[in-house]
């Protein structure tokens, strides 16, 4: 939960009034970042209504059964859309759809399984009144009577829509549908029939659904039934009649049925959300106008004053019909609650582009709820339709649907808890797959899967059923222990580090090292003139000559880190790839840098090779002839490593053979050679250098966590396991495991090579090579930045990997960086537990962990949050999971070498510490997150370069006293000698 002070900063809307919603955009632009974007773990108020919905035409089918008359959707769907004689591509409209008319108990069983408190469904006007008017159809009355009776048995509250777009065709033919002023009276008569027959069992009535779509696309653009292209004037006229019809029905219920039935009546209004292209007053006004033209068109007459928004009046002139004063009074207040529909039906689909007024459409339900609250006098809000969609080919694992659902429900919770919006119910759309209006069967929105080609139309629960079921049981997202930060500290020996891919190399000396002799011409040119043939003795270069080293060391000291990780440049040290040409100046620079780090008690952690874009950071001669595909590169790497151990080993005790080799860019042959090169270098160090240099060495792998998109899906779990083996296990298993590639890799490649005619060959190691590679490590070093979600069902072709048959999914409730990297701290803990479970109690170093930021991000807050929470998850792994974690390194040192990732910014040749640096330094100073109950840990300071200095460092007070006595003794002797000599002279 956000702290009370933060809630106070958020503010609550005052009394609503037309135009007050305009403050919404500026308010949400000022909310605290990133706290306001974090997932809210909390529950909904007691008694909150959870439900699912459907519409008659989308799911019922039975279009000619039980005496049902034709609707405008029946007619519209049966228009010839294919060439004469061609078979239709699939089911026709809603003729059969989900066949709910013949499977009433099937649907209700789905509701029972979900555990919902209410079910929203619509009555088919054409089923109850086949001609649109009396007499009623007994079979239709009996059908809905059975449904209501069954709902009552289960204790499920019905929320009944009188009109969900399926006007009887007879009324369209006879009167022109909603373009006629006769329709409001006929709609009242239909409503009276429903109230009389069903009102005793219904507490919540909705007169109609989404009048914007009915009027604008039914009678204006003609995109939807009845397909009348009457232009804006007829669209506004149809809307005028819809408002009148709604008001008539509300007054009918209020005057004649409410006293006995005690129900409530409203209208389901649909809306989009819109955000300004730029936060200017003009753009915000355009956003307000956009909402006026879609939602306000119907909401303002009903909830405020009985008339259209002023922005519509001033812009549309004579196009917009007029209400008389009596009509305004009659329409005003004709809703007992605000019924809101938000999601895939309107957003990005049926919203006319010119009604965006050149602003940007968005899907922020929370901001819309706040706007409604501000604009319409804080009404009680009932979300009667909300969700997104998945592809029509998706069967069971509808991860995309789940994460949109999670986002919308979480935003509703934030609107209630943070913004003071009175939302009392939520309805998922829809209970089961059906006919999706203008998109037909190309998408699915149901919790339950329906095979439209099957005869029995069984309901198959998707993963979203389990998600929604558990959410209802818990009444939201209650806080869980694993979501809470813990208190505690790391051991004294814990390595606190920082990473720089490549240190800034500047070999320009800072001292005047020219051995020539110069004369200063003070009379004429005022310049130094070189004296030919005259030279002084030339002194050796010293490390203090490199000003760049001093600057970087001082910046590192400011961080209070104990370790600094950087990579050498193989391509510059040995430009030809062998020892025939050595860059001694650069080697000397590296020697100086490492020795200066050791001098200030910072341990250098040095990688021999890190791939970069250009030539993979290999010497050109090696990159040109196959790079790691060429076995000669293996031996060249061994010789290069020998040279580095010899040249730098006195100062470097912490080696990385290869830092973050990218498996995404490796062929299987290259990976094979790379593993052999690593192993040979490890054995080289172990046999020839370890005893004298007393260091340690391993490989550092990039290891982002992979999570199944549907946590309840076995298929998704198998995909996640497969990706982990291909991304991490490929290089880890031979070294830390059994000396060979993961069995999952071999089995998968065998499968796709035989089935899909691929030709991917994973090489085999000889027994000697397995022995060479297995165990070639001293620790497990990993770089971790983010977590990804993967699924088994193809949903988005752009994010689908055909080779591994994996669908990448986004959880849109996660926090994201400017580069769209997900901030998922718990992914690090899961990864560390996975490494332990796979490879045992191996010492682990998180060798790089960081996030990009943006210059516009206020005070570096995202990185502060990132570092705080990722380190806390690392602490959980260490203390709760008993992971042998020995170090943590932040990526990266500065923005100059890693733009947007640094703890130091770099502007105008100056380094400036960011707030995240100070925060990291504080965590280092505390050695974690100590609390009141954390036992105090006294760490003895170690100076590796001078063990004998420990005696003096721990006895500073004694040394000071001895020094004082020594100085006093010297001064005393001086004065005695001095005065003795004066006395001697005086007597002489």
């Amino acid at each position: 939960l956000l702290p009370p002070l933060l809630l106070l900063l958020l503010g609550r809307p005052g009394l609503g009034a037309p135009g007050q919603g305009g403050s919404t955009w500026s308010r949400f632009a000022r909310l605290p970042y990133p706290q306001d974007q974090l997932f809210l773990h909390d529950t909904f108020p007691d008694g909150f209504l959870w439900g699912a919905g459907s519409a008659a035409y989308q799911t019922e089918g039975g279009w000619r059964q039980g005496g049902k008359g034709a609707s405008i959707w029946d007619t519209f769907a049966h228009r010839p859309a294919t060439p004469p004689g061609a078979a239709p591509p699939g089911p026709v409209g809603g003729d059969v759809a989900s066949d709910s008319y013949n499977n009433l108990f099937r649907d209700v069983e789905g509701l029972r399984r979900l555990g919902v408190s209410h079910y929203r469904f619509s009555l088919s006007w054409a089923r109850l009144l086949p001609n649109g008017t009396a007499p009623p159809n007994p079979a239709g009355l009996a059908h809905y009577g059975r449904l209501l009776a069954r709902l009552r048995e289960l204790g499920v509250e019905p929320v009944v829509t009188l009109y969900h777009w399926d006007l009887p065709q007879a009324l369209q033919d006879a009167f022109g549908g909603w373009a006629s002023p006769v329709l409001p009276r006929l709609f009242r008569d239909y409503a009276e029939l429903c109230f009389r027959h069903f009102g005793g069992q219904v507490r919540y009535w909705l007169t109609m659904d989404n009048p914007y779509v009915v009027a604008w696309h039914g009678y204006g653009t003609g995109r939807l039934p009845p397909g009348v292209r009457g232009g804006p004037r007829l669209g506004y006229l149809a809307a005028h009649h819809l408002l009148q019809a709604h008001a008539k029905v509300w007054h009918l219920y209020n005057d004649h049925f409410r006293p006995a039935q005690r129900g409530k009546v409203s209208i389901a209004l649909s809306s989009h959300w819109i955000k300004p292209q730029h936060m200017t007053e003009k753009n915000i006004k355009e956003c307000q106008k956009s909402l006026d033209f879609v939602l306000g068109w119907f909401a303002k007459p009903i909830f405020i004053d009985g008339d259209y928004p002023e922005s519509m009046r001033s812009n549309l002139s004579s196009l917009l019909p007029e209400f008389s004063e009596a009509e305004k009074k009659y329409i005003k207040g004709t809703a007992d609650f605000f019924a809101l529909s938000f999601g895939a039906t309107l957003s990005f689909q049926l919203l006319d582009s010119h009604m965006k007024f050149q602003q940007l459409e968005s899907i922020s339900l929370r901001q819309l709820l706040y706007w409604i609250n501000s604009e319409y006098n804080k009404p009680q809000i009932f979300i009667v339709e909300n969700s997104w969609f998945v592809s029509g080919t998706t069967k069971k694992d509808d991860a995309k649907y789940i994460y949109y659902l999670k986002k919308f429900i979480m935003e509703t919770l934030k609107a209630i808890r943070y913004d003071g919006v009175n939302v009392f119910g939520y309805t998922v759309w829809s209970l089961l797959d059906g006919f999706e209006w203008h998109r037909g069967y190309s998408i699915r929105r149901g919790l339950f899967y329906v095979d439209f080609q099957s005869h029995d139309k069984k309901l198959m629960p998707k993963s979203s059923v389990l998600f929604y079921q558990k959410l209802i049981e818990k009444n939201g997202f209650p806080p869980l222990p694993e979501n809470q930060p813990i208190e505690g500290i790391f051991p004294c020996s814990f390595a606190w580090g920082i990473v720089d891919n490549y240190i800034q190399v500047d070999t320009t000396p800072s001292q005047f090292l020219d051995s020539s002799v110069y004369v200063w011409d003070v009379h004429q040119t005022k310049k130094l003139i070189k004296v030919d043939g005259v030279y002084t003795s030339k002194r050796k270069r010293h490390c203090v000559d490199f000003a760049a080293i001093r600057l970087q060391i001082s910046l590192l000291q400011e961080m209070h880190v104990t370790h600094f990780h950087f990579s050498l440049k193989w391509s510059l040290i040995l430009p030809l790839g062998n020892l025939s040409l050595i860059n001694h100046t650069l080697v000397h620079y590296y020697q100086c840098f490492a020795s200066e780090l050791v001098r200030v008690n910072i341990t250098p952690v040095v990688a021999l090779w890190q791939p970069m874009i250009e030539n993979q950071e290999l010497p050109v001669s090696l990159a040109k002839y196959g790079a790691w595909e060429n076995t000669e590169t293996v031996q060249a790497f061994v010789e290069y490593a020998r040279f580095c151990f010899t040249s730098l080993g006195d100062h470097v005790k912490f080696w990385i053979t290869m830092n973050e080799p990218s498996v995404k860019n490796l062929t299987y042959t290259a990976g094979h050679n790379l593993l052999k090169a690593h192993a040979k270098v490890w054995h080289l160090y172990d046999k020839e250098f370890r005893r004298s240099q007393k260091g340690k060495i391993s490989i550092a792998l990039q290891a982002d966590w992979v999570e199944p998109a549907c946590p309840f899906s076995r298929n998704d779990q198998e995909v996640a396991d497969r990706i982990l083996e291909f991304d991490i296990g490929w290089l880890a298993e031979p070294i830390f495991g059994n000396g060979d590639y993961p069995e999952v890799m071999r089995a998968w490649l065998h499968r796709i090579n035989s089935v899909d005619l691929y030709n991917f060959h994973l090489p085999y190691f000889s027994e000697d090579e397995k022995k060479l590679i297995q165990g070639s490590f001293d620790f497990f070093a990993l770089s971790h930045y983010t977590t990804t979600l993967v699924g088994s069902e193809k949903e988005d072709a752009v994010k689908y990997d055909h080779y591994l048959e994996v669908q990448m999914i986004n959880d849109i409730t996660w926090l994201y960086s400017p580069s769209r990297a997900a901030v998922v701290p718990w992914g690090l803990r899961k990864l560390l537990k996975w490494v332990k479970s796979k490879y045992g109690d191996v010492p682990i170093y998180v060798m790089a962990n960081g996030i990009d930021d943006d210059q516009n991000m206020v005070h570096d807050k995202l990185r502060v949050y990132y570092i705080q929470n990722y380190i806390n998850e690392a602490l959980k792994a260490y203390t709760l999971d008993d992971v042998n974690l020995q170090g943590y390194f932040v990526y990266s040192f500065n923005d100059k070498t890693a733009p947007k990732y640094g703890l130091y910014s770099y502007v105008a040749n100056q380094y400036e510490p960011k707030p995240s640096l100070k925060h990291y330094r504080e965590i280092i100073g505390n050695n974690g997150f100590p609390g009141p109950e954390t036992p105090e840990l006294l760490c003895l300071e170690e100076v590796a370069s001078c063990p004998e200095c420990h005696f003096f460092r721990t006895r500073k007070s004694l040394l000071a006293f001895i020094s004082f006595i020594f100085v006093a003794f010297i001064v005393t002797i001086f004065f005695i000698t001095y005065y003795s000599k004066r006395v001697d002279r005086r007597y002489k």
Side-chain angles (χ1 to χ4, degrees):
L1 288 178
L2 291 183
L5 179 59
L6 195 51
L7 287 173
L8 186 64
L9 291 172
L10 293 176
R12 298 288 176 87
L15 186 64
Q20 282 202 8
S23 65
T24 302
W25 292 276
S26 58
R27 175 190 184 270
F28 279 87
R30 297 192 307 269
L31 292 183
Y33 177 85
Q35 288 81 359
D36 184 65
Q37 293 187 19
L38 300 179
F39 193 86
L40 173 58
H41 291 279
D42 199 358
T43 56
F44 284 80
D46 292 341
F48 192 82
L49 301 178
W50 295 104
S54 68
Y57 185 75
Q58 290 185 282
T59 60
E60 272 188 5
W63 78 293
R64 286 179 171 175
Q65 285 182 258
K68 177 185 175 292
S71 74
I72 56 174
W73 266 98
D74 290 320
T75 304
F76 194 78
H78 288 125
R79 295 179 307 170
T82 55
V92 177
D95 288 2
V96 179
S98 318
D99 202 20
S100 289
Y101 182 74
N102 296 303
N103 290 278
L104 183 151
F105 291 100
R106 175 204 66 180
D107 294 357
V108 175
E109 177 60 22
L111 294 168
R112 186 197 61 77
R113 179 167 182 168
L114 287 169
V116 295
S117 54
H118 71 272
Y119 177 44
R120 181 192 169 193
F121 64 93
S122 71
L123 305 174
S124 169
W125 190 346
R127 190 174 295 283
L128 291 172
L129 296 172
N131 296 314
T133 58
N137 175 20
L141 293 171
H143 171 73
Y144 294 117
R146 285 193 300 272
L147 174 56
L148 289 168
R150 184 60 180 144
L151 292 175
R152 184 172 65 250
E153 290 174 12
L154 291 178
V156 175
E157 188 82 56
V159 178
V160 181
T161 309
L162 292 170
Y163 177 66
H164 202 127
W165 306 7
D166 49 352
L167 183 74
Q169 183 63 42
L171 299 183
Q172 180 65 34
D173 294 339
F175 304 104
W178 291 107
S180 168
V182 175
L183 259 289
R185 177 179 59 79
L186 298 177
F187 185 58
R188 180 197 176 282
D189 294 342
Y190 162 58
E192 183 174 4
L193 171 73
C194 297
F195 292 154
R196 289 193 186 281
H197 280 83
F198 311 126
Q201 302 174 72
V202 180
R203 281 201 308 153
Y204 293 99
W205 290 97
L206 299 173
T207 56
M208 57 187 67
D209 181 88
N210 204 338
Y212 164 83
V213 168
V214 175
W216 191 253
H217 291 302
Y219 296 87
T221 67
R223 285 184 64 187
L224 298 180
V228 178
R229 298 179 182 178
R233 186 179 299 278
L234 192 62
Y236 291 123
L237 181 62
H240 203 69
H241 296 151
L242 286 164
L243 278 165
Q244 291 171 332
H246 159 77
K248 281 182 179 292
V249 170
W250 187 90
H251 282 286
L252 168 69
Y253 189 84
N254 191 60
D255 296 343
H256 300 285
F257 294 95
R258 192 189 302 273
Q261 297 179 0
R262 299 183 179 181
K264 296 183 178 182
V265 180
S266 188
I267 180 173
L269 299 180
S270 187
S271 184
H272 62 305
W273 182 247
I274 199 89
K275 63 182 182 181
Q277 290 210 37
H278 305 286
M279 283 298 292
T280 64
E281 185 177 349
K282 178 183 177 182
N283 283 2
I284 289 174
K285 285 182 177 179
E286 294 298 283
C287 289
Q288 179 79 8
K289 188 192 298 183
S290 176
L291 291 174
D292 280 347
F293 269 65
V294 179
L295 180 57
W297 185 3
F298 302 92
K300 182 175 175 286
I302 295 170
F303 290 92
I304 299 295
D305 59 6
D307 201 3
Y308 298 115
E310 181 56 38
S311 59
M312 293 185 74
R313 284 262 172 238
S314 59
N315 279 269
L316 298 174
S317 184
S318 60
L319 284 176
L320 203 60
E322 296 278 351
F323 286 120
S324 67
E325 290 304 315
E327 285 177 320
K328 291 177 185 177
K329 291 178 182 177
Y330 190 72
I331 293 171
K332 177 183 175 182
T334 55
D336 301 323
F337 55 91
F338 197 111
L340 176 65
S341 170
F342 182 77
T345 301
L346 182 65
S347 297
F348 299 96
Q349 284 295 314
L350 293 176
L351 176 66
D352 238 39
S353 58
H354 80 274
M355 291 188 181
K356 299 177 188 178
F357 295 97
Q358 299 181 335
Q359 305 309 308
L360 305 174
E361 198 172 355
S362 176
I363 53 170
S364 176
L365 176 56
R366 179 186 172 189
Q367 294 186 48
L368 176 61
L369 290 169
Y370 184 88
W371 186 88
I372 291 170
N373 199 53
S374 303
E375 191 82 4
Y376 300 121
N377 291 320
K378 296 185 176 181
Q380 285 188 307
I381 300 175
F382 192 174
I383 298 173
V384 294
E385 177 184 345
N386 178 237
S387 76
W388 208 242
F389 62 89
V390 292
S391 165
T393 61
T394 300
K395 291 184 177 180
K396 183 179 179 183
D397 296 327
D398 53 344
K400 174 184 170 184
Y401 186 90
I402 288 176
Y403 290 112
Y404 272 95
L405 213 57
K406 183 180 173 186
K407 167 188 167 65
F408 291 137
I409 295 173
M410 188 263 291
E411 288 192 348
T412 302
L413 182 59
K414 284 185 175 181
I416 294 170
R417 296 301 187 196
Y418 291 170
D419 309 328
V421 180
N422 186 359
V423 183
F424 68 90
Y426 179 89
T427 312
V428 166
W429 202 268
S430 62
L431 173 64
L432 68 167
D433 291 335
F435 175 73
E436 290 301 332
W437 308 119
H438 63 295
R439 303 184 75 174
Y441 295 98
S442 65
I443 64 169
R444 293 176 182 268
R445 296 183 67 193
L447 295 168
F448 288 90
Y449 173 82
V450 176
D451 181 355
F452 298 113
Q453 304 294 340
S454 68
H455 176 71
D456 54 9
K457 304 288 191 296
K458 288 182 180 178
L459 295 190
M460 294 171 53
K462 302 179 189 176
S463 293
S464 53
V465 166
L466 290 171
F467 167 79
Y468 195 46
Q469 183 185 55
K470 291 182 180 296
L471 187 142
I472 293 172
E473 287 176 3
K474 298 175 181 178
N475 198 33
F477 311 101
L480 299 172
E482 57 264 33
N483 297 329
Q484 307 304 310
I486 66 166
E487 295 175 341
I489 55 176
F490 292 95
C492 291
S493 59
F494 195 76
W496 293 103
I498 190 73
V499 187
D500 202 357
N501 287 339
Y502 297 101
I503 58 174
Q504 177 190 347
V505 175
D506 183 358
T507 55
T508 304
S510 60
Q511 302 295 326
F512 188 73
L513 300 177
D514 191 349
S515 59
S516 301
V517 175
Y518 295 83
V519 174
W520 188 10
D521 185 358
V522 296
H523 299 293
Q524 297 182 10
T525 63
K526 310 293 185 183
K527 295 181 180 180
L528 290 173
I529 301 174
K530 183 177 180 179
V531 179
D532 294 333
V534 181
Y535 301 96
T536 62
S537 60
K538 194 172 184 178
R539 74 171 179 85
K540 292 183 177 180
R541 290 177 180 266
H542 298 286
C543 292
V544 293
D545 294 335
F546 299 120
I549 292 180
R550 293 205 306 272
L551 173 60
Q552 291 178 82
I553 297 294
S554 66
L555 294 175
L556 289 168
Q557 285 181 288
E558 280 294 306
M559 293 184 179
H560 297 179
V561 293
T562 62
H563 290 64
F564 179 53
H565 173 32
F566 63 94
S567 299
L568 304 177
K569 287 201 170 187
W570 184 6
S571 62
L572 297 183
I573 293 175
L574 303 179
L576 300 181
N578 55 49
L579 299 178
S580 64
L581 179 61
I582 302 172
N583 187 336
H584 289 287
T585 302
L586 180 59
V587 172
H588 179 59
Y589 188 91
Y590 283 135
Q591 290 170 336
C592 288
F593 197 97
S595 65
E596 286 299 294
L597 286 172
V598 172
R599 186 181 64 81
V600 296
N601 298 323
I602 296 176
T603 300
V605 181
V606 180
L608 295 170
W609 174 72
Q610 177 168 338
M612 299 297 283
I613 295 175
E614 186 176 358
N615 292 328
Q616 301 181 51
E617 194 43 52
L618 294 171
V620 175
S621 59
L622 297 176
K624 187 177 179 181
Y625 293 101
W628 288 107
E629 297 268 345
N630 190 338
T631 55
E632 292 184 8
T633 304
V634 175
Q635 191 55 39
F637 185 65
V638 174
E639 294 306 311
Y640 161 64
R642 185 191 302 276
F643 174 77
C644 292
F645 295 152
T646 303
S647 303
L648 303 173
D650 289 342
H651 305 298
V652 179
K653 312 300 179 186
F654 200 140
W655 289 98
I656 302 293
T657 57
M658 299 159 176
N659 193 52
E660 297 185 24
S662 175
V663 296
K664 300 270 191 293
N665 300 319
L666 275 182
T667 65
Y668 292 126
T669 301
H672 202 69
N673 289 332
L674 188 145
L675 282 166
K676 289 190 285 187
H678 155 77
K680 287 184 176 184
V681 167
W682 186 90
H683 284 283
L684 169 70
Y685 188 84
D686 190 55
K687 292 175 181 177
E688 299 184 23
F689 295 94
R690 190 189 299 276
R691 181 174 296 179
S692 60
Q693 296 182 0
K694 296 180 172 58
K696 53 187 175 182
I697 184 169
S698 196
I699 187 172
L701 304 176
Q702 181 162 342
D704 288 334
W705 181 243
V706 180
E707 184 78 1
C710 291
F712 322 107
S713 167
R714 181 179 299 175
N715 291 336
D716 283 10
Q717 184 63 60
E718 288 178 359
V719 169
D721 293 341
R722 181 160 68 245
I723 299 305
L724 285 171
E725 295 293 0
F726 270 82
D727 283 0
I728 305 173
W730 177 7
L731 299 181
E733 185 64 30
I735 298 171
F736 301 92
N738 61 13
D740 200 357
Y741 297 115
E743 183 56 36
V744 170
M745 283 186 72
R746 288 215 183 273
W748 182 258
L749 292 174
H750 176 74
R751 173 188 172 277
I752 64 171
N753 285 340
S754 60
V755 175
D756 299 325
L757 302 179
Y758 285 107
N759 187 23
F760 294 109
H761 174 64
L762 189 62
Y764 286 87
F765 292 114
S766 68
E767 290 304 315
D768 289 341
E769 288 173 335
K770 288 180 183 179
K771 291 177 183 177
L772 176 78
I773 296 170
Q774 185 181 21
S776 58
F777 68 91
D778 296 332
F779 52 87
F780 195 117
L782 60 90
S783 299
H784 175 83
Y785 303 98
T786 188
T787 292
T788 57
L789 291 170
V790 295
S792 57
E793 298 224 21
K794 184 177 181 180
E795 178 66 36
D796 180 354
V798 176
K799 296 181 179 179
Y800 187 78
D801 185 334
H802 290 272
Y803 170 51
L804 292 176
E805 295 183 10
V806 55
Q807 177 69 63
M808 302 298 175
I809 302 286
N810 289 335
D811 183 342
I812 54 178
T813 66
W814 284 352
L815 188 64
Y816 286 89
S817 74
S819 70
R820 299 300 297 165
V823 180
V824 192
W826 52 258
L828 174 58
R829 181 184 177 188
K830 286 197 171 189
L831 172 68
L832 294 172
K833 289 171 66 176
W834 182 84
V835 171
K836 180 184 177 182
S837 69
K838 286 275 293 181
Y839 306 118
D841 194 33
V842 57
I844 301 175
Y845 289 86
V846 177
M847 201 57 71
N849 179 237
I851 195 75
D852 62 294
D853 65 5
D854 194 308
Q855 298 300 328
N856 297 324
M857 292 297 177
V858 182
H859 303 310
D860 194 33
K861 289 184 178 180
L862 178 62
R863 185 175 289 105
V864 169
Y865 171 84
Y866 184 98
I867 291 173
Q868 169 84 13
N869 287 276
Y870 271 84
I871 295 178
N872 197 263
E873 291 295 324
L875 180 63
K876 290 178 187 178
Y878 173 74
T879 58
L880 303 180
D881 308 324
D882 202 26
V883 172
N884 188 4
L885 184 63
Q886 299 199 357
Y888 171 90
F889 292 64
V890 167
Y891 181 84
S892 167
F893 182 16
N894 62 73
D895 283 345
K896 183 177 182 181
T897 52
K900 299 184 178 181
Y901 280 86
L903 298 193
Y904 281 101
S905 63
Y906 184 75
V907 180
N909 295 323
Q910 295 291 322
Y911 293 96
E912 292 294 333
K914 299 178 184 178
S916 53
L917 183 150
K918 298 173 184 176
H919 190 69
Y920 185 42
R921 185 170 60 198
E922 181 180 332
I923 294 173
I924 294 173
N926 293 324
N927 210 29
F929 307 93
E933 306 299 321
T934 305
E936 186 176 358
L937 185 66
L938 297 176
C939 297
L940 297 176
E941 190 172 0
E942 297 180 8
V943 185
S945 59
C946 182
E948 63 275 10
C949 297
H950 180 71
F951 172 87
F952 300 102
R953 295 177 64 84
T954 56
R955 292 167 173 79
K956 290 182 179 178
S957 299
L958 177 62
L959 289 173
F961 178 74
I962 293 173
S963 299
F964 172 78
I965 296 297
F966 179 77
V967 171
F969 174 79
I970 295 297
V971 170
T972 301
I973 295 298
F974 171 80
F975 279 115
I976 291 173
T977 305
Y978 175 79
Y979 283 108
S980 296
K981 289 182 178 179
R982 290 190 64 180
V983 170
D984 289 344
R985 283 198 298 270
R986 182 180 299 173
Y987 282 103
K988 289 179 180 180

